Structures are given as structure tokens and as C-alpha cells.
Amino acid sequence: MGCVQSKCYGRCARLCCCHYQPSSLATDDAGEGADSFRIHETDSPQRRGLSSAGGSLGSATVPSAGLCLRYASLTQRGYYPDSPDRANQDSFCVRTNFQANPDLHFFGVFDGHGQFGAQCSDFVRDKLADILASDARLSEDPIKAYQPAFLATNSSLHDSEIDDSMSGTTAITVLVSGGALYVANVGDSRAVAGVWNGNRVVAEDLSSDQTPYRKDEYERVRLSGARVLCVDQVEGMRDPDIQSWGDEEDGDGDPPRLWVQNGMYPGTAFTRSVGDSTAESIGVIAILEVKTVKITPNHLFFVVASDGIFEFLSSQAVVDMVSRFVDPQDACSAIAAESYKLWLEHENRTDDITIIVVQIKDMVASYAEATNETIHTSNSIPLSPAKVKAQRRIVSQSDTNHPIKGSCQELQSGPPDSSANFSPAYVARSPTHSVHLKGMPFVL
């Protein structure tokens, strides 16, 4: 996100529009509709501040699948030494009981970029969720609802008062619909699940980063007229005819980017986004990719996060960290702190960082853990808490080291009144997670 559309690493300031200016603040005035809860970050001082973190903490049940979702989220403004007042361009959205349906729950992360990235991120967050909320097809066929919703959101952003010629946002969303996950992705943010396999929790990518590292995306944007070159190639330091950059995990920090044929812009390091009207001429599109995943007893949790998390952490590393914590709030704080630390070890700045962690628990097991009582199922067969817990294979070594935090009902968010509706609930910051830069502590 550090360049016009993505990561800059301090290399391309003279090549493209990465001279960010503080964005004007938008207003959250979207209606609540029929949704029981709508919790997302707002344009408060906490969102735009240098070292503040905003988030949400709660739970939701999925009655048709007998599941309980426990979730937490966190957003952390990046550290930009040359732009101390720069806004956090990430935003997130959590809507439980979507469309007043107890089996529908929506989670999304939006990573803005460009001079007006914060406005683009906020606009897309609200517009996309509102369009989906009004589509009667969503519960029956989420895929049919998703594609036109993204395209309509993109058109609405183009038609809005926001200048999205060189600004836009990526979007990664997960819709829990009964016993399935519908993961919709535009850009290079990511969703990943933690799945019990054998004797460990392994990462299952729920989305594929849309960047020129992908051969299919590379070929598509080339056919649309894009020059695909890293910054060193644009500057003449490397041969532009060598179209090989390794892979995203092992790259050298100079990723392939998209440029118009006769100009040094826009420099996007991804191939799909919402907004970015100039980049559309060279193949940057808002057409999403959707992955459907059936939730099994081995699916323990999923993570939705901006690329600020995954720049220096692999999907498996993130899953390993989540697995160490019973409380998703603690997992968010630890992963954000580790990401922040790694950014400062490799760069002189950090990206904005946003993460949602959603634990998937069996409703019966969740209640058993909270009460430590024997539970009778619908067919009157008594199950001990230990047996219920074994059936869900609830996570890892941390289960024996931490007390149970409470049942689904104990975590449930409050009623959607005007005071709670748009006010962020803050994720607790761990006193052990702080980063010091030239004597200045930045606590996550």
C-alpha cells in the first residue's frame, strides 16, 4: 500500500504518486437496516491516531450448523516517519445476523491506497455491505449475489465525489452461511483458515493474492496493455526483458508492478482492486474471485487480514500464532505486534495493519466449556465436556494453559442502539507487545 497502490519500500517516490497527503475525514452515516449488529471502525481520533488500535469483540451463533463464532478484530495505523499525520487507510466490517438471518455473518477487511485511500476504503466497506444486505439471493446463492455487488460498488465509487483515478482499495470478505464459508477477494489482502490435520493445525489459504506473481494474472494484464516491471527495471538497473521475479514469499522486496506504456504510473503491485479508474485501462479490475469452503469439525478458525499482516508473515506463521491463544482478542494483538516489529526490522516504516480472527466452535462444546457440566443432546444422550471438546478437536496446547473465557452468550454484543452502533470496542493491548523506535514506544 505504500506506493500509489501498494508497497513502496522507499524506491519509487520519484516514479509514481506516492506523495501522500492526509485524507479528509469521511462520515459514517450508513443505515443499520435489519442487521442485528454492525460493528466496524469509524473515523474517530482512535482510528486516525498514530498508535491507537480499534476493534470489535463478540460472538454469534449459526443455529443451522450448530456453530458458535467467537471473533475479535484490530486495526493499527502504520508508522510513516515522513508523514506523521497520515491516516489509517485500512477499514473493516463485522455484521452478524446479516439480513436479520441468524445463519448469515459477514466479515470484511478493506485496504485503501493512494491519496484518497481512506475514503475509498470506507466507501467500499459500507457500500458493498449495504448492497449485499439488500440482495435476496445472498442466503440462497451467495456467489450470484457477490459478483454484481462488487461491480456495482466499483461503479458507485467511480460516480462518487471521491477521486479514485489513482486511489482505491482491495477487499477480502468472508460470509459465513450456515455450514459454509464464501470467501470473496479482490486484491492482495488474504483470508486463511486454521485446520486440524493429524497432530497439528495447518494453514488453508481461502484466497489467492491477485498480483503479477500469478502467471494467469500476469498474462491477463499484459494482454490489457500493462507493462509489468519492478522498480529497478523501470529505473534501468535491471534488464526489463527478464520477466522473472521469483515468488511472492521469497521476493527481494522489489515486486513486479503495472505501468502504462508511456508513463511512470500507476505502479500497482496487485492486479485487481475497487476504484483505481486510471489503472483499469491496463487491466486492473474489480472482478472478484470466490472460494466456497464447507466447514468441517477440523476447521478451528479463520483469519481475514490486510497485506500489512502478510508482508513478513506467511499464512502458516499467522495460523501458528492464532493457535497459541484461547482468546481471539489476544491473537489479534500478538499478530499485529509481530507484524509491526517485522516491518521495522526490514523497513523504516510500517504498513497499516488490520486483522479479524474468528474462532469456529461447536455450540454444545462451547457451552460445555463455559459451564463444565454434562450436556444432554437433542437425542437425550449425555455428553461430558471432555467428549464434546474431543469431537470438535478444539485447539492446541493452549487449551490446557488458559481458563475458559466464557460461553457464546457471555460474549454477545450489546443491542444496536445509536451509542454502540458505530463506536469501536477496543481490543486490549498487551503490555508485552510494544515496539521502540529511536526511544519512542509504539504500543499495539
Side-chain angles (χ1 to χ4, degrees):
M1 189 176 68
C3 181
V4 173
Q5 331 287 19
S6 189
K7 311 166 194 68
C8 179
Y9 307 104
R11 297 182 179 218
C12 53
R14 61 190 177 280
L15 294 177
C16 51
C17 303
C18 53
H19 300 290
Y20 287 102
Q21 299 174 9
S23 301
S24 60
L25 300 185
T27 302
D28 258 324
D29 59 359
E32 183 65 6
D35 297 321
S36 295
F37 302 103
R38 184 179 185 185
I39 305 172
H40 56 63
E41 65 167 325
T42 65
D43 291 298
S44 63
Q46 286 80 7
R47 173 183 179 188
R48 305 301 184 184
L50 176 63
S51 59
S52 63
S56 59
L57 173 67
S59 66
T61 58
V62 189
S64 68
L67 300 176
C68 173
L69 308 178
R70 299 178 64 210
Y71 62 84
S73 56
L74 182 148
T75 186
Q76 171 69 44
R77 203 213 110 174
Y79 169 66
Y80 298 91
D82 296 330
S83 303
D85 297 323
R86 185 180 183 279
N88 182 355
Q89 296 183 308
D90 283 2
S91 65
F92 67 87
C93 178
V94 174
R95 288 198 187 189
T96 60
N97 295 336
F98 207 34
Q99 295 186 333
N101 185 337
D103 290 314
L104 280 181
H105 308 287
F106 180 80
F107 305 87
V109 168
F110 307 88
D111 184 350
H113 49 259
Q115 182 176 349
F116 304 107
Q119 291 96 321
C120 290
S121 174
D122 290 346
F123 181 94
V124 171
R125 173 198 65 200
D126 294 334
K127 191 68 175 180
L128 177 64
D130 289 343
I131 291 174
L132 288 172
S134 64
D135 194 326
R137 298 172 296 179
L138 187 65
S139 60
E140 297 299 324
D141 194 340
I143 295 177
K144 283 187 178 179
Y146 255 121
Q147 195 69 264
F150 269 79
L151 295 177
T153 300
N154 190 51
S155 295
S156 295
L157 180 56
H158 291 340
D159 295 337
S160 72
E161 296 180 354
I162 302 170
D163 180 1
D164 72 341
S165 57
M166 298 285 284
S167 299
T169 185
T170 63
I172 179 72
T173 71
V174 176
L175 179 73
V176 180
S177 179
L181 305 177
Y182 292 87
V183 185
N185 180 48
V186 170
D188 59 354
S189 292
R190 190 180 302 177
V192 59
V195 183
W196 185 261
N197 185 2
N199 60 354
R200 63 188 294 258
V201 183
V202 300
E204 176 188 339
D205 281 324
L206 302 178
S207 62
S208 176
D209 297 356
Q210 296 154 352
T211 74
Y213 283 112
R214 274 178 48 176
K215 184 177 180 181
D216 59 336
E217 288 294 282
Y218 167 79
E219 295 294 345
R220 184 181 62 78
V221 296
R222 282 284 299 261
L223 290 174
S224 298
R227 291 189 301 151
V228 182
L229 302 168
C230 66
V231 171
D232 281 351
Q233 289 174 314
V234 172
E235 291 182 323
M237 298 171 61
R238 292 169 62 179
D239 186 349
D241 293 328
I242 299 177
Q243 298 282 281
S244 176
W245 303 275
D247 59 45
E248 200 159 3
E249 295 291 336
D250 302 321
D252 61 359
D254 188 12
R257 300 175 180 275
L258 278 60
W259 315 88
V260 298
Q261 288 296 323
N262 298 307
M264 299 300 183
Y265 64 91
T268 71
F270 50 77
T271 55
R272 304 193 191 198
S273 70
V274 183
D276 297 301
S277 57
T278 297
E280 285 185 350
S281 66
I282 55 172
V284 176
I285 57 177
I287 297 176
L288 77 162
E289 293 179 316
V290 183
K291 182 174 183 178
T292 304
V293 177
K294 181 180 179 181
I295 300 173
T296 71
N298 291 335
H299 283 90
L300 305 178
F301 57 83
F302 63 85
V303 176
V304 189
S306 63
D307 69 335
I309 292 289
F310 294 105
E311 178 60 26
F312 299 108
L313 288 173
S314 67
S315 294
Q316 187 61 55
V318 170
V319 164
D320 289 343
M321 293 187 71
V322 174
S323 299
R324 299 187 189 115
F325 297 93
V326 168
D327 192 332
Q329 183 178 21
D330 295 335
C332 286
S333 296
I335 293 168
E338 181 66 12
S339 299
Y340 201 95
K341 179 176 74 73
L342 291 172
W343 270 98
L344 292 179
E345 288 177 359
H346 292 85
E347 306 292 337
N348 64 353
R349 66 172 187 92
T350 79
D351 199 355
D352 301 328
I353 291 169
T354 300
I355 182 170
I356 303 173
V357 173
V358 183
Q359 294 176 339
I360 305 172
K361 292 180 174 287
D362 187 85
M363 286 176 65
V364 176
S366 180
Y367 182 80
E369 288 177 342
T371 62
N372 198 31
E373 296 175 354
T374 297
I375 297 175
H376 291 268
T377 61
S378 58
N379 58 5
S380 299
I381 299 175
L383 296 177
S384 69
K387 288 182 179 179
V388 173
K389 187 173 180 180
Q391 284 186 354
R392 271 298 292 172
R393 301 176 185 266
I394 292 178
V395 164
S396 79
Q397 68 262 29
S398 61
D399 283 335
T400 59
N401 297 331
H402 296 272
I404 298 302
K405 302 294 183 179
S407 69
C408 241
Q409 284 69 27
E410 288 171 333
L411 283 172
Q412 194 71 36
S413 303
D417 56 33
S418 58
S419 62
N421 190 23
F422 296 112
S423 299
Y426 296 105
V427 174
R429 304 170 194 172
S430 168
T432 62
H433 291 147
S434 61
V435 177
H436 292 266
L437 183 68
K438 295 182 179 179
M440 298 176 62
F442 297 90
V443 180
L444 298 180

